[in-house]
Amino acid sequence: DSITDIHLRSFNSFFLSSLGRRFLKTFYRACIKYPGTVAVVCGSPTGEMTGFAVGTMRSEGYYKKILVKNFWAFSLEAAILFLLKPKALLRLVMNLSKTKENKDSADLAELLSIATLPDLKGAGIGKQLIAAFETRLKEKNCKVVSLTTDFHDNENVIEFYKKCGYAIKNDFKTYPDRRMYK
């Protein structure tokens, strides 16, 4: 619930958020229980979750694997989307298979999502989450990690990732015509 809440508060105008709380909860629950997932959280002294990072040790086929392992839960979510937001369902299905230029090697780890409470941006929590995420990956013998982020109107986030040691590998497009950086 806390991860879903932070996601919705941090990314209120993003596509995954438009799919609703229920879909996000199903998505993160599926990610977290999958054995190849690495998740870290940051909390306040009062115990409130202030941020999270979720990723995978092997990016190739990750989404397909969590969909298959959680077939019935995602089937229910797809049925709801079909009735309420058919265009969103189409976009989701079209983006499930990454474009050829975004294909990674099988052993490449990937940061799938990172977020902090919006009122705590700039407090260093994101850097702590990335460092903890990378430490967990190193413990599991993962040597290279990637991530994707928006190409347009995203200078602050791109600069944040650069300060954390990431470099732009390439750009690509997702459905329907969203340009992204790897």
Side-chain angles (χ1 to χ4, degrees), residues 10-79:
S10 297
F11 306 119
N12 59 354
S13 64
F14 281 58
F15 173 66
L16 278 181
S17 297
S18 76
L19 301 178
R21 172 177 298 284
R22 188 184 153 116
F23 179 89
L24 277 174
K25 193 172 179 179
T26 299
F27 172 72
Y28 282 119
R29 182 178 289 132
C31 289
I32 289 169
K33 73 180 188 180
Y34 185 74
T37 299
V38 174
V40 294
V41 298
C42 194
S44 71
T46 62
E48 178 190 23
M49 187 184 296
T50 57
F52 71 90
V54 175
T56 176
M57 294 184 296
R58 295 179 57 107
S59 63
E60 186 177 64
Y62 180 78
Y63 292 114
K64 183 178 180 182
K65 290 172 188 171
I66 66 165
L67 283 172
V68 168
K69 280 199 161 287
N70 300 276
F71 178 78
W72 295 112
F74 280 113
S75 294
L76 176 60
E77 295 305 320

Side-chain angles (χ1 to χ4, degrees), residues 36 43 47-48 66 92 115 120 141 149 170:
E48 178 190 23
I66 66 165
L92 189 61
L120 297 176
N141 297 317
T149 193
N170 65 305

